[in-house]
Amino acid sequence: MENYLKLSVIGKGTYGTVYKVKCRTTGKEFALKHHSDKVQDTTVRELSCLTALKGHLHVVYMHDCFISDGRVAMLLSYVPYTLSGVIHNGHGLNMCHESGQVKQLIPLSFVAHFSRQVAHALSYMHALNMVHRDLTPFNVLLTEDLTVKLADMGLSRQASKWMSPNLVTEAYRAPELFDQCERYCLEYTCAIDMWSLGVTIADAMEGKVVFYKRVDQHQETIPTYEIIVKTLGPKDRSCTAIASWGPDTIMPSVMKCTLVKRIVLGLLAFRDTERPLAHELLRDAEWAHVSHMNEEDRVMVIDQIRKGEK
Amino acid sequence: PAGQPSTWYLQYGDIGYKIQREKEAQFHPCKSLARQPQLTAEARCTLVSWLIPVHKHFRLSFECCCLAVNIMDRFLASTPVAADCFQLLGVTALLIASKQVEVCSPRISHLLSFCCDAFTKEQLCNLECLILLRLNFHLAAPTLAFFLDYYTNYTEAAQLVSEKTGGDRC
C-alpha cells in the first residue's frame, strides 16, 4: 500500500474515505477505498461481491486489497465520472437555451446506452442471486469512453428470504421497500434493482431526481412514497383521499416518447412481479437499436461532462 | 402436492446453476488436511458437528453454515493451524460467513463465550484478517445449500409440470 501516493479525496461516507491514488512505480491512477472501521458486515459483502464479479465489463474492477491494522483498503479502478454528473443537468432531453443557442444536452442514444450496460451488469448479478440494493445515478460510474461501471457494492448481498428494508437511497427505492408494516425485515427480489434502473432512466429524461420528495403549493412535503402511489399506484388501491397525478405530471419527457414510455413504465410497474428482468430488457430490440451512439452523440455527452467539471 | 418453486429459480435458476457449477472447482479444496501436522479428519468432523448447533443457536441460515465450513476448509488448505486454535478458526469462519449472508452477524463476545472464553477478541479479529488475506478475499463460494435448493426447486417444478399434464389426461 506504501506504493500508492494519495493525491486527493474523492468521496467520504460512513464506511470511510475514497482517495485518488497514484502508483509510485507505474504512475497509474487508482481509487483507494479506505474503510475506517474494523472489518464490518458491509465490507465483507462488498469484498465478496467484487471478487465474484471480477472481470465483468460493467462492474468496477478491484485490482488489489490490503489490510493494515485490521482495516480493509480496496484498490479499485479510477473511474472519473458519475452518471449523475451527466444526467442531472436540469434539462434532460429537452432543448434548452445556452449561450445564445437552442440545443439538446444529452441524446436519447446515451440513455439507452447506459441503461443497457447497467442491465448487463444486473443480469449477471441477479443470476448469481446477488441484489445491488443501492442502484442510483451516483454510483453508476462512467469511464472516459462512456463505459458504465457499477460501484458501491457495500449493500449488495446474496438475496435471501429476509433482508433488512433499510436500503436504497430514498428517491430510487422500490415501493415494496416502503411498505414495511412495522416488520423488521421483508421479502423482496432483484426486481428492486429494476425499479431503481427505471427511476434512473426517468431522471435522465427529465434532467433531475424525479422521485425526490417535494413541497407542494401549501408548503407541505410530499414524500417519495406518496409521489409513487399518486403517479404509479395501482388503480384499485388509490384511495379517494390521495388525488391521483398520473405519470405525465412528474415525468412529461418520458411520456412524450412512446419507446421510453414503454421502457420506463415497464420498469416502474408498482407490483414487482410485473417488472421486466434485466436480461429481458436486454432482449428489447427497439431499445437496443436506439442505444447505438454516433460520434456526434458522444461529443454531446463528453461536452456535458466537461461542463460539469468546471 | 409439490411446493411452489422460488421466484429466483423460475427467473434465473438455470443460468445461475451453470455459473455456480463452473465456479465450484475454484472454491472446493481437495485434501484440506494434507498440510496440517496437528489436525486429523476426526478433529475436523468434531468441529463441524459443533458448528452445526452453534449456527442454529444464533439462528443463522444453512447457507451460512455451509459457507463457514467452506471458508474453514480453504483456510486449512493454505495454512497450518495449531490444534488449540482450531475452534477459534471455526467461530471466525462462522462470523465471516454470517457477515456475508445474514442481516445481522452475531456479536463477537457471544461467539467467544461458546468457546468457553478461551480466546480474546483481538485474537479473533487478527485471525479474521488473516483468513480474508489467505483466501485472497474470494468469499462467494457455491455451497451445498445452493445446490440443494436448486435441486429441490427443480424437482418441484418438474412435479408441477407432471401434475398438470396428468390432469389434462383425466
Side-chain angles (χ1 to χ4, degrees), chain A residues 39 41 44-45 47-48 51-52 65 67 70 123-124 126-129 157-158 162-164 184 277-279, chain B residues 8 11-12 15-16 19-20 23 63 96 99-105 128-129 132-133 136-140:
Chain A
V39 187
D41 296 20
V44 172
R45 280 178 210 156
L47 281 171
S48 155
T51 51
C65 189
I67 299 183
S123 77
Y124 190 72
H126 293 170
L128 288 171
N129 207 6
R157 50 170 297 153
Q158 288 181 314
W162 306 105
M163 297 194 276
S164 150
Y184 170 58
L277 304 174
H279 62 86
Chain B
W8 180 81
Q11 294 173 339
Y12 284 104
I15 316 170
I19 300 174
Q20 300 283 30
K23 284 194 174 195
E63 165 82 1
I96 296 175
K99 284 180 175 179
Q100 219 181 316
V101 295
E102 301 292 341
V103 174
C104 282
S105 55
E128 183 181 35
C129 292
L132 291 174
L133 280 168
N136 210 358
F137 305 97
H138 285 274
L139 298 169

Side-chain angles (χ1 to χ4, degrees), chain A residues 124-255:
Chain A
Y124 190 72
M125 290 180 73
H126 293 170
L128 288 171
N129 207 6
M130 215 177 254
V131 185
H132 186 288
R133 309 204 303 170
D134 191 27
L135 183 68
T136 73
F138 304 95
N139 48 36
V140 173
L141 307 180
L142 290 170
T143 63
E144 300 277 356
D145 66 354
L146 305 182
T147 306
V148 162
K149 303 278 178 188
L150 276 195
D152 282 326
M153 307 292 181
L155 284 169
S156 301
R157 50 170 297 153
Q158 288 181 314
S160 64
K161 223 175 150 83
W162 306 105
M163 297 194 276
S164 150
N166 188 16
L167 31 97
V168 184
T169 313
E170 187 161 283
Y172 302 90
R173 197 182 289 170
E176 61 268 29
L177 297 178
F178 289 94
D179 217 3
Q180 294 178 30
C181 307
E182 288 165 32
R183 273 178 301 169
Y184 170 58
C185 298
L186 69 158
E187 193 175 351
Y188 56 79
T189 65
C190 20
I192 67 164
D193 287 341
M194 299 314 289
W195 173 279
S196 303
L197 178 56
V199 181
T200 303
I201 300 175
D203 274 18
M205 296 299 292
E206 310 300 333
K208 59 180 185 203
V209 184
V210 171
F211 287 101
Y212 190 71
K213 60 176 191 285
R214 51 182 73 193
V215 180
D216 68 3
Q217 65 268 36
H218 311 295
Q219 298 303 309
E220 271 178 68
T221 309
I222 310 175
T224 299
Y225 184 63
E226 208 173 301
I227 301 174
I228 295 175
V229 174
K230 268 174 189 281
T231 49
L232 299 152
K235 294 292 162 277
D236 54 286
R237 204 156 122 179
S238 61
C239 23
T240 43
I242 314 171
S244 186
W245 279 354
D248 0 338
T249 321
I250 62 156
M251 37 189 190
S253 304
V254 169
M255 302 307 281

